[in-house]
Amino acid sequence: MSFKRYQGKKVFITGGSAGIGKGIALELAKAGASVIVSARGKSNLEQTVKELNAVGSPTAIFDYSVLDVSDKNAADKAAKKAIQTLGGLDILICSSGFAKTGEASDMKDEVYRNLMDVNYFGHVNITLAFQDHFRKQKSGEIAFLASTLAFFSIYGYGAYSASKFAIVGFAQAFRQEMMLHNVKVKLFFPPTTDTPGLEKENTDKPLLSKEIEMGSALNVVHKIESVAEAILKWLPNKKFFGYTGWDSWLQYFLFRHFPEFSIRLTDSELKSAQARLDKKQKVL
Ligand SMILES: NC(=O)c1ccc[n+]([C@@H]2O[C@H](COP(=O)([O-])OP(=O)(O)OC[C@H]3O[C@@H](n4cnc5c(N)ncnc54)[C@H](OP(=O)(O)O)[C@@H]3O)[C@@H](O)[C@H]2O)c1
């Protein structure tokens, strides 16, 4: 797919060293954009910059920024440096984040807080770090990646979903504030995507959560490339909310228009999953 509109654009991506963020970075580089990828781990960032140089324009700038997005001061410094390196900024993509599942009572307090610090405050910190630049410039685009679990939740995802629901509230108000400065703020709900993050999430996911997902017709695992493409296609359009695939669309439609019905639907998926698990355990 050709994304000509991104040619010459200056972009900063949190979570740009892996998964969806890296997928977006690669597509942008192919389209002729300059990109700074940001994350905590230096070696993945170096590897990503190598890959960006291999596919990108020889006149574009590719660099990385080692940053823990939960650290507000570090985010401020990273933003200043990125604007210097690129000579400005047109697009900020907030893709950093992680999932940790488990029954509410089994999760340690620090896990609840860490999820909020990274998934919610991480997006807030980096956005506020760049906001003066965008306001002065009177143009720009900011994309928040949340999750389909930012508009509904199920067994085992309470702490994670809370950190993603929080983004939705912030993004809606922030959108209006920035609209007055001609800056676009948008919110994407990524579906289940085959990334290193998903692989890690699945290592200690409760059996019942896994069973629900296996039995759900709406849990399709998407490829990084198709999610990255969907995000870059949606970014210039007028719609504030973005999602990809019929599965996300149907989930969004049901929860928005038929919330009580949808809650009962997820309850019936939970009961069926529990029954299947009980049966499997009897066989063993
Ligand atoms: N994959 C899915 O199924 C799925 C579904 C719904 C929503 N999402 C959301 O989509 C986004 C991307 O997910 P993904 O699956 O592509 O994740 P991923 O493969 O785990 O990649 C996450 C990226 O974020 C960085 N990161 C993690 N913690 C960070 C921190 N504290 N500070 C700065 N960077 C940090 C990681 O690098 P370092 O670890 O080196 O910092 C990495 O570059 C996340 O917000 C995720 O919650 C994913």
Side-chain angles (χ1 to χ4, degrees):
M1 191 171 287
S2 160
F3 290 116
K4 277 193 183 148
R5 79 173 289 268
Y6 295 107
Q7 189 168 7
K9 296 283 186 206
K10 298 159 184 171
V11 188
F12 187 93
I13 306 176
T14 70
S17 69
I20 300 170
K22 181 174 174 177
I24 296 170
L26 286 166
E27 287 300 329
L28 286 168
K30 285 185 215 161
S34 288
V35 183
I36 294 184
V37 283
S38 155
R40 293 163 305 172
K42 195 173 169 191
S43 60
N44 281 347
L45 286 167
E46 285 172 337
Q47 174 59 31
T48 304
V49 169
K50 238 187 229 170
E51 291 175 40
L52 294 175
N53 274 307
V55 297
S57 157
T59 57
I61 297 168
F62 301 111
D63 204 351
Y64 65 82
S65 167
V66 176
L67 168 69
D68 184 333
V69 286
S70 64
D71 180 340
K72 184 170 167 36
N73 290 333
D76 288 343
K77 282 185 195 149
K80 273 194 192 124
K81 191 161 175 254
I83 290 166
Q84 273 172 7
T85 306
L86 294 174
L89 194 80
D90 301 303
I91 301 170
L92 168 65
I93 294 174
C94 304
S95 185
S96 50
F98 75 104
K100 180 80 184 157
T101 51
E103 271 196 27
S105 56
D106 292 340
M107 305 275 269
K108 290 194 176 131
D109 181 59
E110 67 201 49
V111 177
Y112 283 94
R113 289 178 193 281
N114 197 224
L115 280 162
M116 287 305 284
D117 277 345
V118 176
N119 291 354
Y120 171 62
F121 284 107
H123 280 18
V124 172
N125 289 340
I126 197 66
T127 305
L128 296 186
F130 278 112
Q131 81 152 340
D132 281 350
H133 162 77
F134 282 122
R135 279 172 183 247
K136 275 186 207 139
Q137 184 171 266
K138 297 204 176 306
S139 69
E141 290 164 3
I142 300 171
F144 294 117
L145 269 64
S147 169
T148 47
L149 287 167
F151 56 81
F152 78 103
S153 198
I154 54 168
Y155 175 97
Y157 280 95
Y160 171 75
S161 276
S163 71
K164 296 292 187 179
F165 270 66
I167 296 170
V168 180
F170 176 73
Q172 287 192 23
F174 191 63
R175 175 190 158 274
Q176 286 206 323
E177 293 174 23
M178 296 306 272
M179 194 172 84
L180 299 176
H181 302 276
N182 197 37
V183 179
K184 248 192 201 176
V185 175
K186 308 201 15 151
L187 176 66
F188 195 88
F189 300 121
T192 305
T193 311
D194 187 11
T195 65
L198 180 67
E199 201 182 324
K200 197 164 175 212
E201 174 190 331
N202 282 335
T203 54
D204 60 358
K205 190 175 274 181
L207 281 180
L208 189 47
S209 299
K210 279 190 185 165
E211 194 63 46
I212 294 168
E213 286 167 358
M214 279 191 285
S216 170
L218 294 186
N219 188 50
V220 179
V221 180
H222 294 255
K223 287 197 172 122
I224 291 172
E225 293 75 16
S226 61
V227 176
E229 277 190 7
I231 290 169
L232 293 178
K233 230 170 126 182
W234 153 85
L235 192 57
N237 78 24
K238 277 192 176 164
K239 289 184 179 155
F240 171 62
F241 297 115
Y243 40 77
T244 185
W246 63 270
D247 47 320
S248 300
W249 175 82
L250 190 55
Q251 281 167 335
Y252 185 67
F253 180 84
L254 288 174
F255 271 91
R256 185 177 162 86
H257 298 289
F258 306 101
E260 290 300 328
F261 166 79
S262 304
I263 290 277
R264 280 193 292 278
L265 197 67
T266 57
D267 288 351
S268 79
E269 284 189 339
L270 171 73
K271 285 176 196 154
S272 309
Q274 182 67 72
R276 288 196 303 277
L277 260 191
D278 290 346
K279 209 168 160 189
K280 280 181 193 169
Q281 274 156 5
K282 257 186 211 158
V283 172
L284 290 176

